[in-house]
Amino acid sequence: MALISFMINGQPWKGQVEAHETLLDLIRDKLGLTGTKKGCDSGECGACTVILNGLSVNSCIVPALEVEGKEVLTIEGLSRGEVLHPIQEAFISEGAVQCGFCTPGMIMSTKALLDSNPHPSKQEIRQALAGNLCRCTGYGRIVAAVEKAAKMGGDDLAGNDSREISDKV
Amino acid sequence: MPEMIVGKSATKYDAFAKVIGEAQYIQDLTQPRMLWGKILRSSLPHARILNIDTSKAEKLLGVKAVLTAKDLPGRRIGFGNDNEVLKRNKVRCVGDEIAAVAAVDEATAIEAMSLIKVEFEPLTAVFDPELAMAENCNVLVHESRGSNLSLEYHFETDEAALAASLDQAAVVLEDRFTLPFVTSSAMATHGCMALYRNGELTIWTPTQVPFLYQHELMMATGIPGNRIRVIQPTIGGGFGAKLDMYPYEAACVHLSMVTGLPVKIVFTREEEFQASRPRQPMIIDLVTAADRDGHLLARKAKVICDNGAYNSWGSTTPFVGMQTISSLYRVPNVRYDAQIVYTNNPYSGAMRGYGNPQHTFAVESHMDMLAAKLGMDPLTVRLINANQSGDVTPQKMKITSCAFSETLREAGKELGSLPSEPGKLRGKGIAGLLHVGGGARVYRSDGCGAVVKLDDMGRAVLLTGATDMGQGSDTILTQIVAEVLGLEIKDVKVINNDTNLTPWDVGSHASRTTFIAGNAAKIAAEKVRSQLITAAAQILNANPDQLLLRNKRIMVEDAPERFVDIGKIVRSLHFKQDGKLLVGEAFYDPPTEMQDNQFLGNVSAAYAFGAHGVEVEVDRATGVVKVLKVAAAHDVGKAINPLAIQGQIEGGCAMGLGYALSEEMKLREGRVINANFLDYRLLTAVDIPEIEGIIVESDEQEGPFGAKGIGEACCIPTGAAVANAVYAATGVRIKELPITPAKVLEGLNKMRSTFDT
């Protein structure tokens, strides 16, 4: 057991974690943030994607100990109350959601992509989502949603999450 | 009257909850004092169980229950009662359930499993269905049956006419097609949570068929069906694998009964590969005969299906495959034989298409081979044989709406053979499909119930038996109800996941939900509508025939200034002497028949047709096949929600491309050796080409607003279309899926050596 503290969706968290505990189990089981999904538990499907210090990671293969002092953003931290992030809006309007189990991970991978590359080409979008498996959609609607989100948000997407709010509080 | 909502794209009913991470899947559910269950599974494919020692596991701190077969009532389960919840004397496949553990947390349950000692006597196993049927096979998967044959299917038209047609034929093709194990790979694994309390069982489970499930669980556990409540959480994909009541679910119920606490079991991904139901592998020996103009004269198929160790739905898939052999294209003389053979492999279930992707691969490969033999264009040979509206097929299926020819033309239209780069070969291929599109009467009922209630604020609630496993049926049903009642989609809510609340339904299978549940919802809403109109006619002092429902109002058609709000009408009915509730109910069971013991009968009220066109590029040096484009044209009757159909088509094609190119569950001695997503290759966002969905409408008279089912159809012909495109590009005919680079290279090398000599 070790004591760690880190920022999750703009809020500080401090607590004990096990040496073998993954970031995914920590956020799902201890923090109750079940929006991040466990699809394979071995870093292959991307359903557990979160953003760690600005980079998308498979939280099922990140040891919880590693996030000490870092910032984590999950799907729950993306919308501001009822106001959705443009990526979420685009996933709805473009029909990118079917069963929805891959959706939070897809959205977080998209967020990481658009933060670093606000106007990606189709090929760059497909590359950025290559680690996120989806069995329902065939990816076409998802790629369309990412393109639309890029158009909607432009360069402002990077700051558009709840971290901004917490800074002001 | 033009429709306002039906026919227009609508966003998904549950998308908001899903994009913010609030949708609750079985993985996310919990209960106070909930225990974690785990299943100890067999590591051997075939072995006698000599002894199970659970004493150490029981003593582990935190373990609340350890169950083996001796603790259970010993009820047989499964189709044909060939299975047990926990295996008593013998295991028949890797993954067979031996013991069930409940503990305070998952880690303790896993540790407890490792402390259970099972003594086995390994038995010789059989993994090849042809060997399992051989005379000298001394392995019996189920000794009491005396053979490894589980089921047989036979259909034939007049024998003499068939023989004569084969004699007369200008071309007779005879080939063997081989299809592998593939698996649904829904992104959410299986899982359930059981709570047995005061003689009542509540089970949360992502089943596609809640009412059949209720019955099966009753048979498996002995709990009376009227004491079982099934609640479905959000379902993270089904594709057929969630049609079964699995042994682990009955075991989970027993764990809850023994402990008096809620117990949850969730599959790991490895378990999902080994112990959920895959699509059935098949060996199809197909004979196709035609005259010199390309008209089909006869088709004969002999099919061997690897059932695996027990019967699941896979054992009934020849029922659907047979329809493809007898009825895809006009073919007068048919013979079909299928054998379902027990082996010590994982046992096959339902997966999108239900036997049809396998059979269509064979039939549509042969259509191309026929065209090549006759020097005809692949499209022409299909068009001259294509089914037409009004046809009655050899199995007495009555084709009503049918835009098959149009879909065939559309699918190939946009694919141009671009000049190839050096070292690359390009080609295009097409393949068509026939599938049920108006339900499927495989039980005596093919019905679905619906109740629509309209509240005093003008909010409609639909209670439906229909299960949404992600495909979007909730959205379609809200569109239908909103259309009938003149409401906005957002005014309609759906309750569909709790057998205590919802009316009975057969379940989400056979692409039946839009058609069957859609009709039920429509009729129920129409009953509310007629009551509304009667009341409005009085209030507006107008003739009921003149009234229109639009924008939450009822108005006089030629005098729209004379209107009354729908909510107001409802309130006027509540706040009066002898008032009434506005509720409509319906049970829709389509006008179809069960097939008789000769497999004759019109099982579906409508049939779905379609065609996929595929353009590929093959690397001559490596054999790698790259799909450049898919054009998928589907006869959907009427598109209730074009965006949702596009999603179904793209997803179906992606699944079909995986079947064609990359997916194969590899078994060694019955164990899945690629039970993870690194080694079992689902196609990724990078691999999927542009998929153009082409919606063709044919206005099906029996369908809700003219619609037919599409869910399964869109994954069925893709494999054959890819194989045909690879042939067009290279001259190599691949008859065994998946089309790996090694198989293509082997074919190219053979051709080269033929040229050399």
Side-chain angles (χ1 to χ4, degrees):
Chain A
M1 290 283 250
L3 185 71
I4 64 160
S5 60
F6 70 108
M7 297 291 283
I8 175 98
N9 299 331
Q11 301 290 324
W13 186 87
K14 196 175 188 177
Q16 297 285 345
V17 299
E18 307 267 358
H20 57 78
E21 195 169 336
T22 65
L23 175 57
L24 176 61
D25 286 341
L26 170 65
I27 59 183
R28 281 181 61 84
D29 299 344
K30 287 195 179 141
L31 281 74
L33 298 172
T34 54
T36 305
K37 300 303 177 197
K38 186 185 276 190
C40 70
D41 213 18
S42 52
E44 291 157 4
C45 79
C48 67
T49 305
V50 301
I51 297 180
L52 178 62
N53 276 9
L55 294 175
S56 65
V57 295
N58 287 321
S59 62
C60 72
I61 49 171
V62 174
L65 284 168
E66 292 252 323
V67 301
E68 163 65 33
K70 293 182 180 166
E71 263 190 76
V72 175
L73 183 70
T74 72
I75 189 71
E76 289 89 349
L78 208 54
S79 52
R80 259 185 239 168
E82 279 285 284
V83 183
L84 297 183
H85 189 281
I87 300 171
Q88 293 168 313
E89 294 274 9
F91 267 64
I92 295 176
S93 65
E94 293 303 301
V97 180
Q98 285 190 34
C99 91
F101 203 79
C102 76
T103 304
M106 283 285 182
I107 289 176
M108 299 317 284
S109 286
T110 302
K111 171 85 165 75
L113 166 69
L114 297 184
D115 284 352
S116 63
N117 179 3
H119 304 290
S121 68
K122 217 172 216 157
Q123 200 47 39
E124 286 170 327
I125 294 171
R126 288 185 177 272
Q127 284 293 349
L129 299 180
N132 293 79
L133 297 177
C134 171
R135 192 51 152 168
C136 301
T137 67
Y139 308 101
R141 305 283 84 220
I142 293 172
V143 173
V146 179
E147 286 181 314
K148 186 171 181 189
K151 272 194 203 123
M152 284 162 75
D155 298 320
D156 300 330
L157 277 176
N160 191 1
D161 62 53
S162 58
R163 278 177 293 175
E164 201 179 72
I165 306 170
S166 68
D167 290 346
K168 288 175 194 156
V169 173
Chain B
M1 205 191 319
E3 281 118 17
M4 306 292 288
I5 292 170
V6 159
K8 296 191 174 71
S9 290
T11 57
K12 205 157 178 293
Y13 180 78
D14 50 2
F16 191 96
K18 287 174 173 175
V19 300
I20 62 171
E22 255 175 26
Q24 300 257 301
Y25 302 81
I26 188 67
Q27 283 78 2
D28 308 321
L29 297 187
T30 185
Q31 289 273 329
R33 302 167 71 209
M34 186 185 84
L35 302 176
W36 274 88
K38 281 277 169 194
I39 300 292
L40 178 70
R41 298 180 178 281
S42 173
S43 55
L44 298 176
H46 200 194
R48 218 165 290 291
I49 301 171
L50 301 178
N51 187 43
I52 309 173
D53 179 1
T54 58
S55 56
K56 275 192 183 163
E58 282 162 30
K59 282 181 203 138
L60 182 70
L61 188 67
V63 170
K64 301 293 180 186
V66 182
L67 299 179
T68 62
K70 68 175 171 37
D71 306 306
L72 267 46
R75 290 167 162 266
R76 311 289 298 177
I77 61 168
F79 178 47
N81 290 322
D82 65 356
N83 203 345
E84 302 162 276
V85 175
L86 297 174
K87 283 41 172 180
R88 188 176 293 267
N89 298 317
K90 186 169 126 160
V91 290
R92 295 179 174 85
C93 63
V94 174
D96 251 0
E97 299 79 2
I98 297 172
V101 173
V104 291
D105 56 34
E106 196 177 7
T108 307
I110 292 169
E111 194 184 344
M113 282 204 301
S114 71
L115 297 174
I116 299 173
K117 270 216 175 104
V118 186
E119 257 179 81
F120 289 116
E121 178 199 336
L123 300 170
T124 312
V126 62
F127 305 105
D128 178 331
E130 287 186 291
L131 292 180
M133 287 302 293
E135 293 231 342
N136 60 355
C137 178
N138 54 7
V139 179
L140 283 176
V141 180
H142 297 267
E143 285 93 342
S144 61
R145 288 178 170 257
S147 105
N148 288 321
L149 183 67
S150 170
L151 285 163
E152 278 187 292
Y153 295 79
H154 172 73
F155 169 76
E156 70 176 317
T157 54
D158 184 74
E159 208 179 330
L162 175 69
S165 70
L166 287 169
D167 285 344
Q168 292 160 8
V171 181
V172 178
L173 299 170
E174 193 166 353
D175 290 278
R176 168 166 283 205
F177 298 92
T178 310
L179 291 308
F181 267 115
V182 297
T183 189
S184 287
S185 304
M187 294 320 295
T189 57
H190 280 76
C192 73
M193 181 168 72
L195 176 57
Y196 188 78
R197 179 78 82 237
N198 194 24
E200 295 261 351
L201 172 71
T202 305
I203 186 149
W204 290 261
T205 183
T207 177
Q208 298 175 218
V209 289
F211 290 94
L212 300 184
Y213 178 95
Q214 193 180 32
H215 180 262
E216 279 192 70
L217 201 57
M218 169 180 79
M219 301 306 283
T221 61
I223 300 170
N226 62 0
R227 297 284 183 274
I228 298 175
R229 176 185 187 187
V230 180
I231 299 177
Q232 298 150 287
T234 307
I235 302 177
F239 310 112
K242 287 166 182 160
L243 284 175
D244 294 67
M245 192 286 299
Y246 282 70
Y248 86 91
E249 298 185 270
C252 191
V253 170
H254 285 292
L255 287 172
S256 181
M257 290 171 86
V258 167
T259 59
L261 292 171
V263 182
K264 181 162 102 165
I265 295 179
V266 173
F267 276 17
T268 64
R269 181 54 62 181
E270 190 182 352
E271 264 182 311
E272 187 76 14
F273 274 102
Q274 185 75 54
S276 75
R277 306 283 164 264
R279 179 182 285 161
Q280 195 151 37
M282 291 183 185
I283 300 163
I284 301 176
D285 288 317
L286 184 67
V287 176
T288 300
D291 67 18
R292 67 169 53 82
D293 301 322
H295 293 105
L296 294 173
L297 297 175
R299 212 183 260 149
K300 273 198 324 183
K302 210 163 176 279
V303 183
I304 297 168
C305 307
D306 186 346
N307 198 33
Y310 305 97
N311 286 331
S312 163
W313 297 114
S315 61
T316 68
T317 57
F319 180 84
V320 174
M322 181 192 297
Q323 293 170 12
T324 298
I325 300 297
S326 73
S327 307
L328 175 58
Y329 301 104
R330 290 170 163 173
V331 49
N333 301 295
V334 180
R335 183 183 167 116
Y336 181 85
D337 294 279
Q339 294 183 318
I340 307 287
V341 183
Y342 283 122
T343 64
N344 296 108
N345 285 327
Y347 44 118
S348 316
M351 180 175 161
R352 201 177 194 173
Y354 213 85
N356 205 343
Q358 297 96 314
H359 288 79
T360 297
F361 178 70
V363 166
E364 281 292 6
S365 293
H366 250 191
M367 290 305 282
D368 252 42
M369 292 160 81
L370 178 64
K373 193 95 178 178
L374 290 166
M376 290 176 75
D377 174 68
L379 177 61
T380 308
V381 84
R382 287 178 169 83
L383 288 175
I384 63 170
N385 289 293
N387 310 82
Q388 304 295 337
S389 184
D391 283 1
V392 178
T393 78
Q395 280 189 268
K396 303 278 181 255
M397 292 149 63
K398 293 173 187 152
I399 309 239
T400 50
S401 58
C402 176
F404 189 24
S405 298
E406 200 178 340
T407 62
L408 283 164
R409 283 193 203 98
E410 287 290 329
K413 204 165 70 180
E414 294 293 318
L415 303 173
S417 280
L418 299 164
S420 294
E421 291 169 40
K424 303 272 173 72
L425 302 163
R426 283 193 181 186
K428 56 178 180 172
I430 57 170
L433 86 300
L434 155 75
H435 201 66
V436 291
R441 190 172 295 275
V442 289
Y443 307 100
R444 271 171 304 156
S445 174
D446 193 18
C448 176
V451 175
V452 172
K453 74 181 181 87
L454 193 59
D455 293 340
D456 61 348
M457 299 298 173
R459 172 190 177 96
V461 178
L462 168 69
L463 297 120
T464 174
T467 295
D468 194 330
M469 51 189 155
Q471 82 275 35
S473 56
D474 287 353
T475 317
I476 304 298
L477 298 178
T478 55
Q479 284 180 271
I480 288 173
V481 172
E483 180 70 50
V484 172
L485 293 177
L487 299 173
E488 288 177 18
I489 298 175
K490 288 201 164 177
D491 299 326
V492 184
K493 297 293 152 197
V494 181
I495 293 176
N496 71 339
N497 68 338
D498 182 344
T499 53
N500 271 10
L501 300 172
T502 56
W504 188 82
D505 175 44
V506 173
S508 273
H509 73 118
S511 305
R512 67 190 281 281
T513 305
T514 292
F515 193 96
I516 306 284
N519 267 328
K522 183 165 179 272
I523 297 165
E526 282 165 352
K527 287 184 180 172
V528 173
R529 185 181 196 273
S530 69
Q531 298 174 65
L532 268 178
I533 284 188
T534 306
Q538 278 185 355
I539 295 170
L540 294 170
N541 198 16
N543 184 334
D545 299 340
Q546 300 174 309
L547 297 181
L548 264 184
L549 283 82
R550 281 284 153 82
N551 305 323
K552 311 183 190 200
R553 290 171 169 177
I554 297 189
M555 61 188 84
V556 181
E557 196 168 0
D558 335 319
E561 71 284 356
R562 288 170 61 201
F563 69 86
V564 54
D565 284 340
I566 284 175
K568 195 169 173 182
I569 303 171
V570 182
R571 288 192 293 278
S572 77
L573 292 169
H574 291 173
F575 292 92
K576 73 170 192 187
Q577 209 61 325
D578 301 322
K580 64 188 290 191
L581 290 172
L582 272 180
V583 178
E585 54 81 25
F587 182 70
Y588 177 77
D589 197 10
T592 52
E593 55 206 18
M594 276 194 96
Q595 289 183 343
D596 60 18
N597 58 5
Q598 309 289 306
F599 293 102
L600 297 173
N602 190 38
V603 288
S604 185
Y607 294 91
F609 291 90
H612 288 185
V614 166
E615 189 164 4
V616 301
E617 184 176 78
V618 182
D619 189 316
R620 296 172 76 142
T622 63
V624 169
V625 176
K626 185 179 175 194
V627 177
L628 303 174
K629 186 174 174 171
V630 180
H634 286 273
D635 169 7
V636 301
K638 158 88 180 173
I640 289 181
N641 185 338
L643 181 67
I645 290 180
Q646 185 68 25
Q648 285 297 302
I649 292 178
E650 288 179 13
C653 288
M655 201 173 252
L657 290 174
Y659 194 43
L661 294 171
S662 70
E663 291 183 38
E664 181 173 16
M665 219 165 76
K666 288 196 190 320
L667 300 177
R668 186 169 296 153
E669 309 238 298
R671 169 179 294 283
V672 182
I673 56 168
N674 57 342
N676 62 72
F677 286 135
L678 278 186
D679 299 315
Y680 183 94
R681 299 303 297 184
L682 295 186
L683 297 180
T684 71
V686 175
D687 307 313
I688 298 289
E690 185 196 339
I691 297 168
E692 185 196 0
I694 302 162
I695 294 172
V696 178
E697 296 193 325
S698 60
D699 191 20
E700 167 55 44
Q701 291 300 307
E702 182 65 22
F705 296 98
K708 298 195 271 194
I710 165 108
E712 292 169 284
C714 40
C715 81
I716 290 170
T718 331
V722 173
N724 291 341
V726 168
Y727 175 79
T730 62
V732 175
R733 172 59 60 184
I734 307 276
K735 299 178 208 163
E736 182 188 333
L737 293 184
I739 303 170
T740 58
K743 289 177 195 166
V744 176
L745 262 190
E746 191 192 334
L748 285 169
N749 287 339
K750 257 189 207 155
M751 285 188 9
R752 277 177 204 135
S753 61
T754 314
F755 288 133
D756 291 346
T757 50

